[in-house]
Amino acid sequence: MPDEPVNAIEAFIRTLPDPQGARSFFERLQQIRPVDLSRDALLLSRLLAIAAYSPFLAENLLRHPEHIDWLRHETEHVKTTEQLSEELARFVTRMMDADHHLGLGRFKRRELLRIYLHDCLAMASLAEVTEELSNLADVILRHALAIAHQEMTNRYGAPLTRDERGRIKNAEMAVVALGKLGCRELNYASDVDLLFLYSGEGETAGRDRRPESVISNKEFFKAVASETVQIIGSSAGEGAVYRIDLRLRPYGRDGDLVWEIERAADYYRSKAQNWERQALIRARVSAGSDRVVAAFLDLVRDQIFARDAHALEEVRRAKEKIDRRLAARPGGFNVKLGRGGIREIEFIAQALQLEHGGREPWVRTAQTLIVLARLAEKNYLTEAERARLSAAYTFLRTVEHRLQMEHGAQTHTLPLARERLELVARRSGYRDADQFVRDLEDHTTSVRAIYNRVFAAGGEPQPTIASEERKIEKEVDDETDRLINHAAAALTKLIRAQDSVALHDNSDVEQIIASALPSAINPLRSLRNLIAWAESFATYARDQVKEWNVANRYLIKRLLPTLSSNYLSHMLISRPALAAVLVGESQRERADFLQVMRAAINKEYTPAAKTDALRRVWYQQVIAIGYQDMTRVGEGSLSQSPDLRLNNLAQTSLAEAALRLAVEIALESLGIHKHQSAPALPFTILGLGRLGHAGMDYGSDLDLLVVFDDTAEWPPPDLASRGDALKNFHSPHEFYAKLTSEVVHALSSITREGLLYRIDLRLRPEGKNGPLAQAFGGLLTYLASRASAWEHSAYLKAREVAGDMEFGARVRDAVCQSCFDAASKNLSLKEELADIRVRLESEKARKGRPNIKWGRGGMTDVYFITRYLQLRDRIYFPTEQGTAALIAHLGETGSLDDESARVLFEGYSFLRRLDHWMRLLLDRPTPLLPASNVALGDLARALACASVEELEQQLAAHTSAIREVYDRVFG
């Protein structure tokens, strides 16, 4: 069937927001760099998605086709600054002949491919996107600053100054980020607002005793700053890496380029205007010395938040001036500066910070969404206002990004032409411009109303008083009634379309909805998602659920609580026919996943069709599992929690079934059919991480390790005698690497039927640089001689999950023995593991919201404690899988004392329950406790906590107790 891959690609293109742009890109790509559709469907889907969302990035890909192979392997979602720094160093090393400016620009545009792809495919939240764009700018600025500083040091020696005791020391420099970079909310086409500071006056050490090589520190740092700006901001060649704006420095354009911190602080204390001090709310170090920026901010912090009777009035007048200027311009709505736009949200947040930050340090943070949450916590905004502002900010920033990445330009204005507006709407996740415009008007109207309240008569914000709580309750009740009526109308319309006598008016459906609503964790979210599901159903799926009108009562009652989950709602709204599973037999008895899924794929005849069938049936099973979670045990009682372990085991069984069927599909794609493969191929797939420990949860990755028997005959006699399927593979290494690629493709490629799992192969020997499939002998050699203590601890979780299970059990036992043997010879085992834990905490758990996985006392502490004790005491896993069972087992064997075992068991159980509900209720898996009071309230209710405060107290108590055990074990 030679046309099948082409047809599949065309089907995928039709789902994209700009099909014609994607087709044009595909045709040009085939001329420059032909893509094998049968081998590279996942890569091609990524390339086409980029082309449909950003012609600017598509052109960059065509100019630099070397990025295509890079994009094939780039699966990291959010890279830390450390990761980006390492990759930048490697990238510029390969471009040694190019100038610094060119290399940094190409690195930036390469990384934008990955960031924007994840953005458009909803694989990253707005906060993750803006943070990563900010990280990228920081890394590039640090690189440019290091180059400029080193060049000046080579010429003039190090700049020297004296401390308060007269001792000579090196003077230091810092690049202070302001504006959007300062608050880590950079967008794709932002200017970067910078301020250059240095730590003390003096002069350079000179070179070779030549007097002419001694200059003042100010001259030295001015030259460093100038060169940094030139490297980053030059418009030569392929354009500026970033546009740099230095107008926020003292005295603006007329001021010095660099400022000694005492002089700069004196300016802000005595001469700066209010708006200049306001800009420092967002100040932070971007490159250079943390100490310099910390010292500067300590000197000016009181001035930033000093109460000024005229400050808020100045903010209001500044916005009115912007409004007048915009009114005189032609064109569409400006999402940044328009009435109810991004700038008004930022002004609201900053005005209330200026008003209250002097006596409430809690509200001094820089990031807009976090500021809004904290202002609501302190009752300077109502919760309803916070929710509206946060939703509007997310919507408007997303639209801003889509506008800017069309041509890589700094634009904020919506097009007037209907065709172009439709394209913006589709790229923003809408089916048409009409609903997009309605939502835009709703958001901007809400923002303007809150803006007017905050800047009421005279610019003074009006205090939020206790009566606001009654207003909020009234608003919620009114909104609930409105949504019930809207949902009932949408559902009644569906029912009448199939059976005009089923229900005659909205009131019947309203009663069903109202009776089911108390079982929902978040009733308003459930109602909104029910409306969206009904509208999606009416458009796409009406003929796919034949018995809908018969089972409507059960369906509505089961849909409502299920739709409180953001994770499940995304699936149900995009695939409305999945709701049929909620009234199926699977709700009464847990399905045999392998049997059910195999029956579905056996109806298809090609690997591609089987892959799609596998996705469809997988989504059904996930909805069935999720429904049990969201409705609880005991007839929907929210006071009871289901057995999380049973849920983890079910999701692990589902993952194993999907993996085994993906192996069959992969083998078939290589010409080896099911009846041939079982006895003939001595390989196994080991599950690591959560899969290995039977702890899979919603959104979990699959950590895999493919191992083959390198002592077995090649090719296997059973297969060699049955055809030429293996004739193109000269060695088992080559074959199993290809098989691994096909398995990954079957599970993680993005098709019109969705995505099953993200596959993580980085735990294999040598990580990304190692072969995809491992020879058994080579794996044991690696574990015995080159693996780190952390790898030994990670490999203890290895468990055979697919392939030849007998061979897998043998591999698992040998791996475990090798890890124990290597650990017994490692005299610094504890120190190595402790060092790795410190590094992980510093890289992945930044200060701010609690990080329940990587932070102090988080789940990673528990993992390190238990794995270290296993390695130290040669403790095998108990029969029952899972970390909780292992903790109990370590207590029984004496590796843990009873009190420590109790603390770890209770603390880990709480963290896993919290992690589980965060995965279900939030938009995407994240280890960060949400800032939103609404989200925290949902989590508190799910965990049967009386309040958000109780949830936070329990979290603090458990993490503190876990860290105490960690300190005792690793102390």
Side-chain angles (χ1 to χ4, degrees):
M1 304 181 200
D3 293 335
E4 181 190 341
V6 176
N7 293 336
I9 291 299
E10 176 57 30
F12 174 73
I13 286 175
R14 284 197 291 268
T15 68
L16 296 172
D18 183 12
Q20 187 53 46
R23 290 189 193 97
S24 174
F25 169 80
F26 180 52
E27 292 171 0
R28 295 174 63 193
L29 177 65
Q30 292 295 74
Q31 297 171 2
I32 297 172
R33 170 75 179 275
V35 177
D36 185 341
L37 302 186
S38 63
R39 292 182 63 252
D40 289 331
L42 172 59
L43 173 63
L44 185 58
S45 67
R46 292 175 175 176
L47 300 177
L48 292 172
I50 288 172
Y53 281 94
S54 175
F56 163 68
L57 289 179
E59 286 298 322
N60 187 59
L61 267 173
L62 294 171
R63 286 197 303 271
H64 299 285
E66 67 273 13
H67 294 342
I68 292 175
D69 286 330
W70 173 83
L71 196 62
R72 182 200 309 274
H73 303 293
E74 276 304 303
T75 57
E76 291 283 350
H77 291 316
V78 178
K79 292 182 180 179
T80 64
T81 51
E82 290 77 13
Q83 288 174 297
L84 286 168
S85 293
E86 292 174 3
E87 294 185 15
L88 174 57
R90 289 195 293 269
F91 185 88
V92 297
T93 299
R94 292 194 296 270
M95 293 186 62
M96 291 183 65
D97 294 337
D99 62 29
H100 302 305
H101 168 80
L102 187 63
L104 293 177
R106 288 185 180 176
F107 178 77
K108 175 194 173 184
R109 287 186 287 275
R110 189 191 76 171
E111 288 299 321
L112 288 183
L113 293 168
R114 174 184 58 81
I115 297 171
Y116 198 55
L117 177 66
H118 292 154
D119 182 359
C120 296
L121 297 181
M123 296 167 67
S125 66
L126 173 66
E128 289 171 328
V129 168
T130 55
E131 180 176 358
E132 191 161 18
L133 289 171
S134 302
N135 289 346
L136 179 60
D138 285 350
V139 165
I140 289 174
L141 280 167
R142 291 172 192 176
H143 190 89
L145 180 66
I147 292 169
H149 194 282
Q150 188 60 55
E151 287 180 355
M152 287 298 294
T153 303
N154 292 342
R155 192 181 306 173
Y156 297 104
L160 303 177
T161 189
R162 292 184 182 272
D163 64 16
E164 62 278 4
R165 296 172 61 183
R167 294 173 298 189
I168 294 176
K169 64 176 183 178
N170 284 352
E172 296 180 320
M173 184 180 190
V175 181
V176 181
L178 304 166
K180 279 191 162 53
L181 180 58
C183 64
R184 297 188 183 278
E185 293 176 346
L186 203 65
N187 61 40
Y188 290 99
S190 289
D191 293 354
V192 290
D193 298 291
L194 303 179
L195 168 63
F196 291 98
L197 297 176
Y198 63 98
S199 62
E201 299 296 359
E203 59 185 22
T204 61
R207 302 291 293 178
D208 303 324
R209 300 182 179 179
R210 289 180 291 121
E212 65 271 19
S213 69
V214 176
I215 60 175
S216 70
N217 286 356
K218 183 176 181 179
E219 291 176 285
F220 179 94
F221 289 120
K222 180 180 179 181
V224 172
S226 296
E227 180 62 16
T228 302
V229 171
Q230 179 64 25
I231 293 172
I232 299 296
S234 171
S235 58
E238 297 179 3
V241 184
Y242 290 100
R243 291 179 301 274
I244 293 181
D245 191 337
L246 301 172
R247 291 174 295 174
L248 290 178
R249 68 186 188 265
Y251 298 109
R253 287 192 178 96
D254 297 327
D256 291 334
L257 181 60
V258 294
W259 284 76
E260 193 273 329
I261 54 175
E262 290 285 353
R263 288 183 59 240
D266 181 65
Y267 173 85
Y268 285 103
R269 284 192 294 253
S270 59
K271 301 179 181 67
Q273 299 182 52
N274 286 325
W275 65 266
E276 292 179 283
R277 286 191 283 267
Q278 179 186 351
L280 294 183
I281 292 175
R282 293 176 163 185
R284 69 170 179 86
V285 64
S286 177
S289 171
D290 291 337
R291 290 185 294 272
V292 169
V293 179
F296 168 70
L297 291 178
D298 284 343
L299 293 171
V300 299
R301 189 167 282 111
D302 290 342
Q303 273 64 47
I304 298 173
F305 296 101
R307 183 71 183 270
D308 187 311
H310 304 291
L312 301 181
E313 177 63 17
E314 289 181 9
V315 172
R316 185 176 65 83
R317 285 202 301 267
K319 185 61 178 69
E320 289 174 351
K321 184 177 179 180
I322 292 172
D323 290 345
R324 289 193 298 271
R325 193 164 63 242
L326 280 179
R329 293 181 184 176
F333 179 76
N334 188 304
V335 297
K336 177 182 178 181
L337 301 177
R339 291 172 64 86
I342 296 168
R343 183 55 56 84
E344 285 194 3
I345 300 173
E346 293 172 340
F347 276 7
I348 290 168
Q350 291 177 16
L352 291 174
Q353 279 184 298
L354 290 170
E355 176 71 9
H356 304 289
R359 60 181 178 274
E360 284 287 3
W362 181 242
V363 304
R364 292 181 181 178
T365 187
Q367 290 173 287
T368 303
L369 293 177
I370 297 176
V371 173
L372 295 174
R374 293 188 177 185
L375 289 168
E377 288 176 20
K378 296 298 181 180
N379 290 326
Y380 303 131
L381 289 170
T382 69
E383 179 55 32
E385 287 174 333
R386 182 214 61 78
R388 291 172 189 154
L389 291 173
S390 297
Y393 186 78
T394 301
F395 172 87
L396 293 167
R397 286 298 305 271
T398 300
V399 175
E400 179 185 49
H401 286 173
R402 300 298 176 263
L403 290 170
Q404 292 181 342
M405 288 307 283
E406 180 174 16
H407 300 300
Q410 189 181 36
T411 180
H412 310 91
T413 303
L414 289 170
L416 293 175
R418 177 72 183 191
E419 183 178 349
R420 291 192 60 219
L421 187 63
E422 289 278 359
L423 184 56
V424 173
R426 291 196 299 273
R427 286 173 174 159
S428 301
Y430 288 81
R431 296 195 187 97
D432 58 66
D434 293 335
Q435 185 59 51
F436 172 79
V437 170
R438 285 195 293 271
D439 282 1
L440 174 66
E441 291 173 349
D442 286 346
H443 284 305
T444 53
T445 300
S446 294
V447 171
R448 190 63 181 191
I450 299 167
Y451 178 87
N452 288 337
R453 198 275 294 172
V454 171
F455 290 94
E460 286 294 319
Q462 302 303 297
T464 302
I465 56 178
S467 62
E468 285 292 343
E469 294 183 6
R470 292 192 293 275
K471 293 180 182 179
I472 294 171
E473 291 176 3
K474 177 72 164 54
E475 285 182 0
V476 171
D477 290 342
D478 291 347
E479 179 70 356
T480 301
D481 291 342
R482 185 185 72 80
L483 291 173
I484 288 175
N485 184 266
H486 188 173
L491 292 171
T492 302
K493 183 178 179 180
L494 285 180
I495 295 167
R496 286 176 176 167
Q498 293 190 333
D499 186 344
S500 61
V501 300
L503 291 172
H504 291 284
D505 56 50
N506 288 4
S507 61
D508 296 326
V509 181
E510 284 182 8
Q511 291 177 7
I512 299 172
I513 293 173
S515 66
L517 207 54
S519 65
I521 288 177
N522 186 315
L524 291 179
R525 182 186 301 136
S526 287
L527 287 170
R528 294 188 184 101
N529 286 332
L530 180 62
I531 294 166
W533 175 85
E535 292 172 350
S536 179
F537 183 97
T539 304
Y540 293 111
R542 187 181 304 156
D543 62 339
Q544 298 182 42
V545 185
K546 305 298 183 185
E547 302 301 321
W548 197 92
N549 60 336
V550 176
N552 61 77
R553 290 179 185 273
Y554 296 105
L555 187 57
I556 295 172
K557 286 178 176 291
R558 289 170 175 170
L559 262 176
L560 267 169
T562 305
L563 289 171
S564 276
S565 162
N566 278 315
Y567 178 82
L568 300 173
S569 296
H570 292 326
M571 296 182 185
L572 284 162
I573 293 169
S574 60
R575 303 168 183 81
L578 284 174
V581 78
L582 298 179
V583 291
E585 293 296 319
S586 61
Q587 296 314 312
R588 291 188 285 275
E589 184 176 350
R590 185 73 71 190
D592 180 333
F593 296 122
L594 188 62
Q595 179 181 342
V596 170
M597 297 167 80
R598 176 169 279 133
I601 71 170
N602 282 347
K603 296 176 183 178
E604 307 296 341
Y605 297 99
T606 67
K610 290 181 178 182
T611 297
D612 283 344
L614 181 61
R615 280 158 169 67
R616 288 191 293 270
V617 70
W618 181 86
Y619 277 102
Q620 292 170 4
Q621 304 311 311
V622 171
I623 293 295
I625 294 171
Y627 163 76
Q628 299 291 346
D629 257 350
M630 296 304 297
T631 51
R632 301 292 210 278
V633 178
E635 300 182 358
S637 170
L638 284 167
S639 64
Q640 293 179 277
S641 176
D643 188 329
L644 175 58
R645 189 60 191 156
L646 290 179
N647 181 285
N648 292 154
L649 291 172
Q651 295 207 52
T652 302
S653 296
L654 179 64
E656 290 174 3
L659 178 59
R660 290 171 189 174
L661 293 172
V663 170
E664 293 179 10
I665 294 170
L667 287 168
E668 184 177 340
S669 70
L670 296 177
I672 302 171
H673 294 274
K674 186 171 58 180
H675 67 277
Q676 296 176 294
S677 61
L681 289 175
F683 81 99
T684 186
I685 299 181
L686 300 179
L688 301 167
R690 288 199 168 190
L691 179 60
H693 235 197
M696 292 292 291
D697 212 328
Y698 303 104
S700 291
D701 294 354
L702 292 186
D703 295 291
L704 303 179
L705 178 67
V706 180
V707 183
F708 61 90
D709 187 351
D710 48 343
T711 65
E713 182 179 352
W714 183 261
D718 288 355
L719 288 181
S721 63
R722 297 188 192 181
D724 58 355
L726 301 180
K727 69 178 183 179
N728 294 323
F729 300 102
H730 303 295
S731 69
H733 300 79
E734 185 180 351
F735 172 77
Y736 288 112
K738 178 61 176 175
L739 175 63
T740 303
S741 295
E742 293 294 332
V743 170
V744 171
H745 173 75
L747 290 171
S748 65
S749 59
I750 302 170
T751 75
R752 59 184 175 184
E753 299 296 340
L755 169 77
L756 294 185
Y757 296 100
R758 290 184 294 271
I759 306 300
D760 194 339
L761 300 171
R762 291 174 298 174
L763 284 175
R764 67 187 186 269
E766 314 296 354
K768 288 183 177 181
N769 298 321
L772 291 179
Q774 303 294 315
F776 185 20
L779 172 63
L780 296 183
T781 299
Y782 178 83
L783 291 174
S785 60
R786 301 197 306 282
S788 67
W790 178 80
E791 287 174 296
H792 291 142
S793 70
Y795 274 62
L796 287 179
K797 281 188 175 183
R799 178 175 66 87
E800 65 278 13
V801 290
D804 184 335
M805 301 300 278
E806 290 185 9
F807 175 64
R810 183 156 60 92
V811 173
R812 181 234 310 149
D813 289 343
V815 165
C816 189
Q817 292 291 348
S818 293
C819 291
F820 285 146
D821 291 343
S824 68
K825 301 171 186 175
N826 186 352
L827 300 180
S828 59
L829 175 66
K830 180 164 65 171
E831 291 74 15
E832 284 186 32
L833 289 175
D835 288 345
I836 294 168
R837 177 65 185 110
V838 168
R839 191 179 77 228
L840 289 173
E841 184 179 336
S842 66
E843 290 178 355
K844 297 178 179 291
R846 296 189 181 92
K847 293 179 181 179
R849 289 176 288 161
N851 190 310
I852 66 171
K853 179 177 181 181
W854 301 108
R856 290 173 62 84
M859 290 184 286
T860 303
D861 271 6
V862 180
Y863 298 147
F864 270 75
I865 292 168
T866 53
R867 302 302 176 268
Y868 165 63
L869 294 177
Q870 273 191 284
L871 290 171
R872 186 193 72 182
D873 299 342
R874 209 177 186 98
I875 302 294
Y876 292 86
F877 278 107
T879 303
E880 183 182 351
Q881 295 166 336
T883 299
L886 176 60
I887 292 168
H889 184 58
L890 291 170
E892 292 166 359
T893 60
S895 291
L896 273 173
D897 62 86
D898 291 345
E899 176 61 15
S900 295
R902 181 192 65 78
V903 166
L904 292 183
F905 184 87
E906 293 177 358
Y908 181 76
S909 298
F910 175 83
L911 292 174
R912 277 305 304 269
R913 288 172 58 225
L914 177 56
D915 173 72
H916 176 75
W917 283 106
M918 286 168 64
R919 289 170 178 271
L920 257 180
L921 296 176
L922 306 184
D923 283 328
R924 66 193 72 258
T926 174
L928 290 175
L929 198 69
S932 161
N933 275 343
V934 173
L936 288 171
D938 291 347
L939 291 170
R941 196 174 184 205
L943 291 165
C945 294
S947 64
V948 169
E949 289 73 20
E950 182 184 329
L951 169 66
E952 293 176 330
Q953 288 167 4
Q954 287 194 33
L955 175 60
H958 283 303
T959 53
S960 176
I962 289 171
R963 180 43 72 116
E964 287 180 8
V965 176
Y966 176 89
D967 288 339
R968 285 199 299 272
V969 171
F970 284 95

